[in-house]
Amino acid sequence: MDAIQIYGGNCLHGQVRIQGSKNAVLPILAAALLIDGVCEIENCPAISDVYHMLRLMESLCCTIDRNGHTVRVDAAGVSRCDMPPDSVGVMRSSIMLLGALLARTGSVSMQYPGGCVIGSRPIDLHLEGLRKMGVVIREREDGFDAETKGLTGAVHRLPIVSVGATENLVLAAVLANGNTVIENAAKEPEITALCDFLIKAGAKIEGVGTKRLCIRGVEKLHEVSYKVPADRIVAGTYLAACLCCGGEVFLKGAPCMQMKAVSAAAASMGAGIEESKEGIAVTCIERRVMPPGLITACYPGFPTDLQSAFLAAMTLADGEGVLEETIFENRFRIVPQLRQMGARIDCQKNKVCVSGVRTLCGTTLRAEELRGGAALVIAGCAAQGRSVVKNRHFIERGYEDICHDLCSLGARCKKE
Ligand code: EPZ
């Protein structure tokens, strides 16, 4: 079955190694297309989104070799410019390839990447920015054809902060003719990792980590090897698991500096947080209390990708609390299922009001998307009795092996 079975009620104790970052490695794999040669990418997480991205790249005549967590990409042969629809449909992140492919081949034909349950996920900012860089885009019913005689630098003032649009425009700009400025750029650590990779390969990028990126186009990038940073969202998920279940865990390799808002939210709920260069030690002995108003925001604010996991933790905290989602329009999909477990949650548009309960009861649950599915698993670990979370494949998009990781902390869960 495509499910996870959990017997909840255990406190968590032990240490878990944090995998490489999904949202860093996907744009870095796209960036490998820009290099007419071989890139070696270490600490690449074994997750299905990476598998689909690599298959997509092979369909574009890249040669891919995987050896454990190291992926070798030879993009010397990149030629085809139409991505197989079935791969694009599965791989929303295929849009990441657009900027790089245009820079490399000058033309791309692809389906619109699907939205998902958390939001419509439009790509208007991506297409608008590329048009400003000399790309002619003919939209079709189910997709578009994009052509350019050569990308030229441009000044972009993004009306809203968009991680994907920032990444696509960086990828289009590094080999463009002239200079590009991206104002109101996203500052997520995954963009910093992408820029670090590109600079290591010879790109000229200034303002890394700020909301203003200045890119001077260069002729060529050279071969490079790069180690993917740890996944702050996976680390935050297991931190939330400790908030849910209580106990003492060590998140080995967790990127502390990138998790300040997450650690602060956990501390405001009564967790003890101890940061070191080896990772984050989390201690939850006393019952948790509600955070004083949790609002998702662009980096360095509290990440939308941990909203569901912290909502699960809030259902078991003492008192009343409010959680507000400001990035996506439909990211409270797990509320009805948490209610089925006994949670008391009142939903008002992009806010939820939570009244903490003493216990949750295990039941049959259904993942509908990646981060909500992971949140249901950690809620099941805290609940009394047996839970089954169906649609495990959603969770495997971003977690190498959530069952193994949680079992190493003393939870009782297994793939079904
Ligand atoms: C990235 O998605 C992440 N995905 C998401 O993580 C993350 O939740 C999101 O950034 C926000 O941090 C990857 O990196 C692969 P956006 P992305 O463009 O780039 C609107 C996960 O679970 N928008 O920053 O798609 C959009 O609708 C995933 O790992 C436009 O209006 O997010 C949203 O409301 C989920 N037009 C807001 O911007 C556009 O052209 C932020 O989206 C693009 C975006």
Side-chain angles (χ1 to χ4, degrees), residues 39-60:
C39 289
E40 192 157 86
I41 296 162
E42 297 160 35
N43 198 32
C44 183
I47 54 178
S48 60
D49 267 15
V50 165
Y51 168 77
H52 289 301
M53 181 64 99
L54 294 176
R55 276 195 51 232
L56 212 45
M57 292 171 73
E58 282 178 327
S59 73
L60 299 167

Side-chain angles (χ1 to χ4, degrees), residues 22-23 26 92-93 96 118 121-126 160-164 188 304-305 327-328 331 370-371:
K22 165 178 93 78
N23 291 351
L26 291 174
R92 222 201 87 72
S93 302
M96 289 299 173
I118 66 173
R121 315 295 292 276
I123 59 167
D124 55 313
L125 300 180
H126 299 243
I160 55 171
V161 174
S162 162
V163 171
E188 270 63 9
T304 175
D305 290 349
I327 308 292
F328 289 109
R331 204 163 198 178
L370 167 56
R371 306 300 177 186

